[in-house]
Amino acid sequence: MAAGFAALLLAGGSGALAQEKVTVFAAASLKNALDAVNAACEAEVGEQATISYAASSALAKQIEEGAPADIFMSADLDWMKYLSDKSLIKADTETKLLGNSIVLIAPADSAASLEIGPNFDLAGALGGGKLAMANVESVPAGKYGKASLEALGVWSSVEGNVAQAENVRAALALVSTGEAPLGIVYKTDAAADPKVKIIGTFPEGTHPPIIYPVAQTADSKDAETPAFLKCLQTAKAKDLFEAQGFTVLAPVASN
């Protein structure tokens, strides 16, 4: 359970009582960029949002179970659709906000060198060690990574050596601390941790497009939610997202 959700539940009572600020449930890979955007948007919105970061899958399930979130920011379209199909988001607020890419990483002091391509020797590069990935069945980063490895013909050779983490930042930590010699994370995650380096980027055509949608939840209670959503699409937010390595897909809104 995300810490933010737990804190809100401890506040008790109805959603109106539990929420004092815009509450955002966001994919773990957004943390550095969204923290910066949140601070930059405070003056315009009138408050800083409360943000809970976790795997998109976990957050979507929490919203389904009644967690008092105003905004959901997913790392893929599938989990947004999961909530949309259950009428748990306001469809007219959904925006395809950001794009990203997935990369192969190693500890910064690693001598690993590998060219990503069809049938590349990932298993050999692991040398019996673990390949850190987010959960490949439910977490977007893991799903993208598995799809790419399958398309490149190497999944079967490394499947038994995959260390699956609860979210992409947890997978990043396994490599950053040296517990795993290689890992698959978003480019933006690699950029956020100086203890890792990028070995190569997975070709876009080997996995579904990496798209981060954002939407207001159907049960949103905070009056400042629309203002926060708008601020996510301003020029200052665009600059902050791009500084962390994201591609901004949505048109920039006027102030």
Side-chain angles (χ1 to χ4, degrees):
M1 179 180 291
F5 184 24
L8 290 168
L9 288 180
L10 288 173
S14 68
L17 292 174
Q19 288 177 274
E20 298 179 355
K21 297 181 178 180
V22 175
T23 300
V24 181
F25 278 19
S29 52
L30 286 163
K31 180 169 175 50
N32 295 64
L34 191 55
D35 280 352
V37 171
N38 189 24
C41 285
E42 181 177 7
E44 185 173 329
V45 177
E47 61 188 34
Q48 279 202 35
T50 297
I51 307 177
S52 271
Y53 296 101
S56 301
S57 51
L59 296 173
K61 291 298 184 68
Q62 288 177 18
I63 291 171
E64 181 184 16
E65 292 167 4
D70 295 298
I71 292 171
F72 178 47
M73 298 182 71
S74 174
D76 72 356
L77 298 174
D78 289 347
W79 285 109
M80 185 65 76
K81 183 177 186 300
Y82 178 86
L83 294 183
S84 179
D85 288 348
K86 297 175 183 294
S87 299
L88 293 174
I89 65 160
K90 295 183 178 179
D92 61 345
T93 67
E94 183 178 343
T95 300
K96 294 177 181 177
L97 185 65
L98 303 170
N100 210 338
S101 57
I102 52 171
V103 297
L104 183 67
I105 60 168
D109 60 357
S110 171
S113 177
L114 199 60
E115 184 174 345
I116 295 175
N119 302 308
F120 72 111
D121 190 16
L122 181 56
L126 286 171
K130 295 294 185 180
L131 176 66
M133 297 178 67
N135 186 289
V136 300
E137 300 302 327
S138 61
V139 180
K143 292 163 62 180
Y144 292 130
K146 180 182 178 182
S148 190
L149 293 177
E150 287 180 331
L152 293 168
V154 300
W155 172 250
S156 61
S157 68
V158 299
E159 182 178 4
N161 293 91
V162 173
Q164 297 191 53
E166 64 180 355
N167 60 58
V168 70
R169 285 300 173 97
L172 174 70
L174 290 175
V175 180
S176 179
T177 58
E179 294 181 60
L182 296 171
I184 298 176
V185 299
Y186 295 117
K187 178 179 69 173
T188 51
D189 295 307
D193 191 336
K195 293 182 180 180
V196 304
K197 65 180 181 181
I198 295 174
I199 301 298
T201 301
F202 288 89
E204 289 186 1
T206 62
H207 57 76
I210 300 175
I211 297 173
Y212 289 66
V214 60
Q216 182 174 346
T217 64
D219 291 334
S220 173
K221 301 292 194 297
D222 197 288
E224 304 305 326
T225 299
F228 190 87
L229 280 173
K230 181 179 179 182
C231 195
L232 290 175
Q233 298 178 58
T234 56
K236 62 184 175 184
K238 180 177 185 291
D239 289 344
L240 291 168
F241 282 127
E242 289 180 342
Q244 294 293 329
F246 287 98
T247 300
V248 176
L249 304 178
V252 174
S254 57
N255 292 323

